[in-house]
Amino acid sequence: MLSTLVGAHLVLAVLTPLLTRWLGQRVFWLVAVVPAVSFGWLVSLAPLVLSGGTLDEAHQWIPGLGVMLSFHLGLVQWVVGLIVTGIGALVLLYCRWYFAADPPQARPAALLTAFAGAMLGLVTSDDLVVLYVFWELTTVFSYLLIAHDPTRRANRSAALTALIVTTTGGLAMLVGILLLGQASGTHSLQAILADPPTGTALTVSALLILVGALSKSALVPFHFWLPGAMAAPTPVSAYLHAAAMVKAGVYLVAVLAPILAGVPGWRPAIWVLGALTLFLGGWRALRQDDLKLLLAYGTVSQLGFLMLLLGTGTKAAALGGLAMVIAHAAFKATLFLVVGVVDHSAGTRLISQLSGLGRKLPVTAVVAALAGASMAGLPPTLGFVAKEAGLEGIANLALTGDGTGMTPLPGWLLLATVVVGSALTLAYTLRFWWGAFATKPAVPAAELRHPPAPAFVAVPALLGLVSLAGGFVAGPLGHALQPYADSLPTGEPGHGMALLAGWSPALAASLVAIALGVVLFWQRDRIARVQQTFPSVMEAGEFYRLTMRRLDRLAVEVTDRTQRGSLAYYVGTILLTMTSLLFAALATVPVWPDVYLADSWAQVAVGAVMVVAAFLVAGSRGRLRAVVLLGVTGYGTALLFLIHGAPDLALTQMLVETVSLLVFLLVLRKLPKFFTERPLQSVRWWRVLISAGSGLAVTLLAILALGSRVADPVSETFPEYATSYGYGNNIVNVVLVDTRAWDTIGEISVLSIAATGVASLIFLRSRSGRIRRAPQAPEGKLEGWLRGSRTIPRAARSLMFEVVTRLLFGVMIVVSLYLLLAGHNLPGGGFVGGLLAGIALLIRYLAAGQQELDEALPVPAGVLLGVGLALSVATALLPLAFGGVIFQSYELHLAVPGWEQVTTSFGTWTLLGDIHLVSSTAFDIGVYLVVVGMMLDLGRSLGGGIDTHERAQLTPTPEPESTRALPGVRWLK
């Protein structure tokens, strides 16, 4: 069920843009259904979870790597899942009125839904690798949500900062997850918690995972990204940065604390960074004029407190920490949503411009007061009882160390920091309510431009009531959360949660914090003046921006020194590095295999011709000559395949070489005749040396690899499997369309992308609508050998070429179809057949121009590419409908009665015989169409497209007998 709910979120997110066209802003009501249903389902599991039960679900995903798509629902997962789904549904409902005056908002609706699904997957994943996948999905979705308005620089910058910071921490966490999985032999979180590993690997992995958690939950020194993310719309801030995304790091620390809290370095890092974040966030919140930024820095401060409680790893602190997670989600989401109401109603959220709104928005002011009281830890709210439980855990550290080994001095310093942080929380809470709703004598009364709809205020009001009601159910809530606290091996159990627990060190600390917080707010002007006297230091955000600028500058410097615009330099560097590494490795080989020159003298003769042609290519100064000589080496390779008994490979190599030669010739029309007129330079000898060394190194590597086989070749079983599994006698074709069908899918995808890329270089706007068939001959005149020949100058025509093309085209197409259909048992296949058909099309173009090519096949190349890819993919997936697996092949024997054979006086003649059909032939037809589409695209772009540009004087014209080209009239326009 968990996987179904996660998948439902993601599927609905994909469909949201389409649904928005029909429903408009009402789409938010629809997308809220899935998280609401998920919330209801989780509520129905309360008896199971609260009685100590769990829910597990697992599916195979990557068996080879031991990665399972597994989910586990325990107490912590259930609590955070309720937060994610419940607040997610309410925020989506709230968006209906928040975006009411805007055009239909498909983007935030889809992304918020997808984010809710990713968060639900994150908190319920049992496999740590799957957890990391969901972790990064939340990063990507948050990036897109923060960049809500990509036209605003603030949104783009904030989104990029959040992406870089959280992704960097996520990469460190990934390394830690892999180390932890390697040390424990499993990636299952529950298995690791039941039997944790020990040693250095656990320490390193724990600290790396902690880096990821700290960056996600915006603790010092990663805290600066969260205030900048307030550029996002208020509902996004309420969900991502109060109730969901920043809780991911807190959740990870909470579930791993039972085994990682005792790791060296874990607790000191949590104590120092948590306390520093708690103080720094609260101190910065006192200076903010923007209500959202005030809440943002308050969120940073509260996250430091949450990490401090849950990362300490003691029973009392853990109980308060988990309760504080619930309280924080409720009150902080409420306050963010209240800011949205204020902003929409008054047109601003700046404290310096707001006055008297409490009388005009009394319900909103009361809701903000309830949530603010919970944030400040005032009775009788949920925030008060949760903070009391947390303060008990911190007080135990100061008094006894509570089993952590903390000495008294750092314990009391930590407690004092928490008390000061709590006082700052009360101070900025009072500042928030006073700034938003109080009447300020020096500020004009704010006008209520758009009175909020009752439903607009109802969502934060509901969450505000949760903050209030939670305090009155403190006892049952503490009892429900106690099993998590009991799972911690360290510390004494706390006294639970109660609204009236009596006198205790925690209550004394709370009273001190409340008194100090009231003083800080009362003396806010004096505090502001004191803050202005502090020395100016570089902030974390400024340090980040400076680091990024210097990194960009370093990248520019490195690029300038290494990317010099010379292809020869790039290739030479790559080959020199490869050759050096190869020779270093080959020098360590103690015994070399025996070699012999050749199997026959024919191979020697062909090889000698290829060597001579290769040397002539290297010394050629003419482009056309070099291309032709290069073709000699390719055709020589085809001959070697043929001599060695591989007709399929020989045929493929010959056709590929022919296509390459034709494409080179099409391009060479617009290039100078010679490579260079400059005399040979000494640098050429370095190139010769690198080339010779590369050739020698690759040759030696091939000899060593071929002579070092210690196991039987896997190809020995190919003949048997080709017939038993692929139902074909042509082993090469069966491998392409069956055994290695995934590779073939990738290859035809690359072909499609390459054809589209080449076409995009020529057809700058669109390649559609460019099919222009040749006109018919005037009445009374013969058509001629090729209809398109009438559109080209008479001097450019060749009657012999036209006649030969007319005679050969049909034959080549028929042969290509034969190769396609016969390729499963005889030499051929879709790729070879497609190449031959493409060559036939290119010959039509060469004989009579662009319109003759369109006359030969008046179909857009993109249609052929798309249909071919779709057919191949459909053939791959179709076996699933019949209970098979992807790419499974089926065979079918057909017999047409009366047409199998015919008996005459001259003997028995086979007609149709036994018709043997294999399902993978349909896959091969898709390959055929993709190859033909690619060839058609090349012909229309490098052929007809360049012709069109030449007629419009848009291409450079080579000077005769020169290495330079005359620019076209509008070449630079």
Side-chain angles (χ1 to χ4, degrees):
M1 186 63 177
L2 284 169
S3 60
T4 303
L5 291 175
V6 173
H9 282 82
L10 301 178
V11 170
L12 183 59
V14 173
L15 297 177
T16 297
L18 180 61
L19 296 172
T20 305
R21 296 183 181 180
W22 300 337
L23 301 174
Q25 300 293 39
R26 290 173 296 176
V27 75
F28 286 107
W29 292 343
L30 178 61
V31 296
V33 170
V34 173
V37 170
S38 302
F39 178 80
W41 180 75
L42 289 171
V43 170
S44 70
L45 295 178
L48 171 68
V49 176
L50 297 181
S51 63
T54 60
L55 183 67
D56 294 281
E57 180 182 342
H59 308 278
Q60 286 285 351
W61 187 25
I62 313 176
L65 298 178
V67 178
M68 296 280 292
L69 195 62
S70 56
F71 300 91
H72 172 82
L73 190 69
L75 178 61
V76 179
Q77 292 82 7
W78 182 71
V79 168
V80 183
L82 286 173
I83 293 173
V84 169
T85 56
I87 296 182
L90 292 175
V91 168
L92 285 168
L93 291 175
Y94 176 89
C95 288
R96 164 64 181 86
W97 290 275
Y98 183 86
F99 293 110
D102 299 328
Q105 297 290 314
R107 177 189 173 103
L111 290 175
L112 280 171
T113 306
F115 184 89
M119 273 300 301
L120 183 60
L122 188 155
V123 301
T124 57
S125 292
D126 182 56
D127 192 292
L128 289 176
V129 175
V130 178
L131 183 147
Y132 174 76
V133 172
F134 284 117
W135 183 283
E136 291 305 315
L137 281 177
T138 62
T139 298
V140 173
F141 292 143
S142 67
Y143 166 77
L144 296 173
L145 283 165
I146 296 170
H148 171 72
D149 184 359
T151 62
R152 295 182 66 243
R153 182 177 180 181
N155 286 81
R156 298 196 306 270
S157 177
L160 186 60
T161 299
L163 179 70
I164 292 175
V165 173
T166 55
T167 302
T168 302
L171 290 175
M173 187 186 78
L174 175 61
V175 176
I177 287 174
L178 297 178
L179 285 175
L180 185 60
Q182 183 69 25
S184 58
T186 178
H187 291 114
S188 171
L189 179 58
Q190 298 309 307
I192 294 173
L193 291 174
D195 185 19
T198 57
T200 305
L202 179 64
T203 302
V204 175
S205 62
L207 296 180
L208 288 173
I209 291 173
L210 183 60
V211 170
L214 296 178
S215 66
K216 196 77 162 182
S217 292
L219 263 71
V220 173
F222 308 108
H223 64 287
F224 57 89
W225 72 262
L226 195 149
M230 294 301 109
T234 300
V236 173
S237 302
Y239 190 44
L240 270 66
H241 307 128
M245 177 179 172
V246 292
K247 293 292 194 302
V250 174
Y251 161 77
L252 192 61
V253 168
V255 295
L256 291 176
I259 63 169
L260 298 185
V263 168
W266 175 281
R267 284 195 176 104
I270 289 288
W271 289 334
V272 173
L273 298 180
L276 184 59
T277 304
L278 171 63
F279 175 80
L280 183 62
W283 185 253
R284 292 293 302 273
L286 291 178
R287 299 166 52 183
Q288 304 307 314
D289 187 47
D290 188 321
L291 291 175
K292 273 188 71 175
L293 280 179
L294 187 153
L295 292 179
Y297 281 104
T299 300
V300 170
S301 178
Q302 293 289 321
L303 289 171
F305 187 42
L306 289 174
M307 279 289 192
L308 197 60
L309 294 176
L310 292 169
T312 295
T314 60
K315 298 180 185 296
L319 177 63
L322 190 55
M324 198 66 197
V325 168
I326 303 172
H328 178 264
F331 66 65
K332 194 54 67 74
T334 302
L335 292 174
F336 269 111
L337 297 181
V338 164
V339 171
V341 174
V342 170
D343 195 5
H344 265 240
S345 302
T348 182
R349 57 175 188 254
L350 298 180
I351 294 176
S352 57
Q353 298 177 10
L354 292 172
S355 178
L357 274 187
R359 296 177 180 177
K360 299 177 181 179
L361 298 173
V363 176
T364 306
V366 171
V367 170
L370 291 176
S374 183
M375 181 166 69
L378 300 178
T381 62
L382 176 60
F384 169 75
V385 295
K387 191 181 73 171
E388 286 295 294
L391 283 175
E392 181 183 4
I394 302 298
N396 290 344
L397 290 177
L399 294 172
T400 64
D402 207 15
T404 63
M406 175 177 274
T407 55
L409 179 59
W412 284 104
L413 287 175
L414 182 62
L415 178 60
T417 304
V418 171
V419 171
V420 172
S422 299
L424 290 171
T425 302
L426 176 60
Y428 68 68
T429 300
L430 293 172
R431 176 177 171 80
F432 172 86
W433 197 94
W434 167 81
F437 300 104
T439 299
K440 310 178 187 69
V443 180
E447 296 293 333
L448 204 61
R449 300 180 181 180
H450 306 286
F456 193 25
V457 182
V459 173
L462 179 60
L463 288 171
L465 290 175
V466 171
S467 296
L468 176 63
F472 294 99
V473 294
L477 180 61
H479 179 73
L481 303 181
Q482 189 62 44
Y484 169 68
D486 294 337
S487 69
L488 276 297
T490 306
E492 295 296 325
H495 293 89
M497 295 170 55
L499 188 58
L500 298 174
W503 182 258
S504 66
L507 181 59
S510 290
L511 294 176
V512 172
I514 291 172
L516 184 58
V518 171
V519 172
L520 288 174
F521 175 71
W522 174 42
Q523 298 293 326
R524 57 186 177 278
D525 294 333
R526 183 172 296 178
I527 296 297
R529 289 193 295 271
V530 171
Q531 286 182 322
Q532 292 176 357
T533 64
F534 283 9
S536 178
V537 296
M538 181 179 293
E539 297 180 355
E542 183 180 351
F543 177 77
Y544 163 80
R545 289 186 289 272
L546 178 62
T547 302
M548 295 305 296
R549 285 197 297 270
R550 290 184 175 177
L551 186 62
D552 289 341
R553 181 173 180 178
L554 176 63
V556 171
E557 294 289 343
V558 172
T559 302
D560 181 64
R561 294 179 183 276
T562 57
Q563 305 295 314
R564 306 176 61 178
S566 169
L567 181 60
Y569 176 81
Y570 301 155
V571 175
T573 302
I574 294 172
L575 291 178
L576 181 61
T577 304
M578 179 200 73
T579 303
S580 302
L581 294 176
L582 280 178
F583 274 123
L586 293 173
T588 63
V589 177
V591 179
W592 284 78
D594 297 330
V595 297
Y596 57 94
L597 181 61
D599 293 317
S600 66
W601 286 106
Q603 290 180 332
V604 176
V606 173
V609 172
M610 293 172 62
V611 170
V612 173
F615 273 102
L616 292 176
V617 168
S620 176
R621 304 187 67 166
R623 297 180 189 272
L624 180 59
R625 179 187 178 193
V627 169
V628 173
L629 289 171
L630 191 62
V632 171
T633 62
Y635 288 121
T637 303
L639 280 175
L640 289 178
F641 286 148
L642 186 62
I643 294 172
H644 206 66
D648 246 6
L649 297 179
L651 181 60
T652 303
Q653 174 66 26
M654 183 183 68
L655 292 175
V656 168
E657 198 61 43
T658 302
V659 170
S660 302
L661 186 60
L662 291 174
V663 172
F664 271 124
L665 293 177
L666 291 175
V667 175
L668 287 181
R669 296 179 300 161
K670 309 310 298 178
L671 292 177
K673 183 176 180 180
F674 298 103
F675 287 109
T676 180
E677 292 178 341
R678 294 177 298 178
L680 296 179
Q681 300 177 353
S682 59
V683 71
R684 291 289 184 92
W685 292 109
W686 288 109
R687 296 178 182 175
V688 170
L689 181 62
I690 293 175
S691 301
S694 302
L696 178 61
V698 172
T699 301
L700 293 176
L701 179 63
I703 292 173
L704 182 63
L706 294 174
S708 301
R709 188 187 300 276
V710 295
D712 295 333
V714 68
S715 58
E716 289 184 354
T717 60
F718 278 10
E720 177 187 353
Y721 292 150
T723 56
S724 60
Y725 289 101
Y727 309 111
N729 296 317
N730 183 351
I731 298 174
V732 174
N733 184 261
V734 171
V735 168
L736 291 176
V737 301
D738 197 312
T739 310
R740 280 183 53 246
W742 279 114
D743 292 346
T744 306
I745 282 282
E747 289 160 3
I748 62 176
S749 301
V750 170
L751 283 179
S752 302
I753 295 171
T756 304
V758 172
S760 67
L761 295 175
I762 306 300
F763 305 132
L764 299 180
R765 292 183 177 89
S766 173
R767 64 179 179 185
S768 61
R770 296 179 176 271
I771 299 175
R772 294 182 290 272
R773 301 182 65 173
Q776 295 184 358
E779 187 176 355
K781 291 190 177 182
L782 298 177
E783 279 286 351
W785 288 97
L786 296 175
R787 180 179 294 179
S789 61
R790 292 194 304 274
T791 63
I792 60 177
R794 185 178 295 273
R797 294 177 57 182
S798 170
L799 180 60
M800 182 65 70
F801 195 9
E802 293 179 20
V803 172
V804 173
T805 300
R806 179 67 178 268
L807 296 176
L808 286 182
F809 180 77
V811 176
M812 295 177 70
I813 295 298
V814 171
V815 173
S816 75
L817 294 174
Y818 168 79
L819 293 173
L820 165 65
L821 299 176
H824 211 62
N825 294 291
L826 299 172
F831 184 72
V832 172
L835 287 177
L836 184 59
I839 292 173
L841 292 172
L842 287 182
I843 291 176
R844 288 283 290 266
Y845 161 75
L846 294 173
Q850 176 184 357
Q851 293 191 10
E852 181 62 28
L853 177 61
D854 292 341
E855 183 72 25
L857 189 58
V859 178
V863 172
L864 292 177
L865 294 171
V867 172
L869 276 174
L871 180 59
S872 297
V873 173
T875 306
L877 299 178
L878 190 60
L880 294 175
F882 299 95
V885 297
I886 294 179
F887 283 118
Q888 183 172 341
S889 293
Y890 297 90
E891 67 170 343
L892 178 64
H893 291 270
L894 294 179
V896 181
W899 290 85
E900 298 95 335
Q901 58 188 18
V902 61
T903 302
T904 66
S905 57
F906 299 99
T908 300
W909 299 82
T910 300
L911 293 179
L912 296 180
D914 178 29
I915 303 175
H916 180 214
L917 300 178
V918 182
S919 59
S920 57
T921 303
F923 179 84
D924 225 6
I925 294 174
V927 175
Y928 179 89
L929 293 175
V930 168
V931 175
V932 173
M934 179 202 67
M935 296 295 295
L936 188 61
D937 231 350
L938 292 178
R940 285 181 177 153
S941 56
L942 298 179
I946 292 180
D947 292 343
T948 302
H949 287 188
E950 187 174 23
R951 288 192 294 270
Q953 296 183 324
L954 294 174
T955 56
T957 303
E959 289 186 8
E961 307 299 323
S962 173
T963 62
R964 296 184 298 275
L966 293 172
V969 176
R970 294 194 296 272
W971 176 248
L972 298 178
K973 293 185 179 180

